[in-house]
Amino acid sequence: MNKFRVVALATAGVSVLGAANAFAADVTKPQDEGWTFTVAPYLWASGIKGESGLFGFPPQDVDVSFSDVLNHLKFGFMGLTEARNGPFTISTDIVYAKLDANIGSPRGILASNIDATVSTFMGTALGGYSIYYQDGANFDLVAGARLWSVDNSFDFHGGALDGRSASDGDTWVDPVIGAKFKANVGNGIYLAGWGLVGGFGAGSKSMWDVMGGAGYQFNDKMSMFVGYRAVHDNYSHDGFVNKLTQQGPILGFTYQFSPAHPG
């Protein structure tokens, strides 16, 4: 494994932890009044392909499987929330991953081995309005921002660089617009999904995020969702390159409650 693959693993770690706003749509009840709140932990078993680069070196092709990510995952946190009042929504999605890897040097001239630690953060905040909101279905227009942050740290052992360290990474914000939907199909089953685009050169050159799937409503408060998600991000700045596509199945659980109706 080289340092460019570690960067790919880091971004994939975000992907594992990184589903988004459609889960919050899956338990919407158009007939309810007042605020309702939804929390949803989830898993995105994604792989990653594309180009990644550090320290100004030419970007390298990467192809990392979900099992590779799990092998190097040290710690992760994921979860989203949504607050809805009638057709108005506010949602957040917080994702954090930390990966560790030990990289061997074949010749050992500069270093015999390198300890790499990669931390990634992705946070999304969206406001939305339902242009269709009845009969167990809603179609929401959303807009907001997505914050990305990647920090890559390398500690060198042995060789000419023994005891030294280096780091590279970046933080950027993408404006985001899009839509999400939910529709009941009967017998507790519903369909949900979303489509987002962003970046527009303000952060990433381009970014898109799409998901679709189906869920089952166990009761008024809890449901389960399965689907498939794909995300693409094209960002580069000052020698740091992140041109990657992540995709894979997702599994989420939701819990909804209303302060006005706690029971």
Side-chain angles (χ1 to χ4, degrees), residues 103-233:
I103 307 169
S105 178
R107 292 190 175 90
I109 298 175
L110 295 179
S112 57
N113 63 83
I114 306 169
D115 289 327
T117 301
V118 185
S119 298
T120 56
F121 175 86
M122 182 180 72
T124 307
L126 297 172
Y129 182 80
S130 299
I131 59 175
Y132 182 84
Y133 186 59
Q134 60 184 354
D135 301 326
N138 58 275
F139 186 86
D140 303 346
L141 299 181
V142 297
R146 175 170 292 175
L147 171 67
W148 306 78
S149 182
V150 180
D151 179 58
N152 308 278
S153 299
F154 303 91
D155 294 321
F156 300 92
H157 304 284
L161 298 179
D162 184 39
R164 298 192 180 186
S165 61
S167 63
D168 192 16
D170 212 343
T171 299
W172 66 99
V173 177
D174 289 334
V176 176
I177 59 174
K180 60 181 180 179
F181 75 93
K182 176 257 180 179
N184 291 329
V185 297
N187 298 319
I189 300 173
Y190 61 88
L191 303 177
W194 83 80
L196 303 172
V197 294
F200 311 115
S204 302
K205 181 178 179 180
S206 62
M207 185 217 79
W208 52 260
D209 185 342
V210 295
M211 190 284 294
Y216 181 76
Q217 193 79 39
F218 297 110
N219 52 48
D220 289 343
K221 295 182 179 296
M222 300 184 66
S223 71
M224 179 181 71
F225 185 87
V226 293
Y228 197 88
R229 184 189 186 196
V231 173
H232 175 77
D233 183 60

Side-chain angles (χ1 to χ4, degrees), residues 58-98:
Q60 302 294 305
D61 292 334
V62 295
D63 187 350
V64 180
S65 68
F66 176 60
S67 61
D68 289 331
V69 177
L70 288 182
N71 287 337
H72 295 276
L73 185 63
K74 185 73 173 179
F75 173 79
F77 169 80
M78 52 187 167
L80 67 83
T81 65
E82 182 188 82
R84 173 180 286 273
N85 191 342
F88 298 98
T89 63
I90 301 172
S91 60
T92 63
D93 180 31
I94 302 299
V95 175
Y96 175 79
K98 182 178 181 180

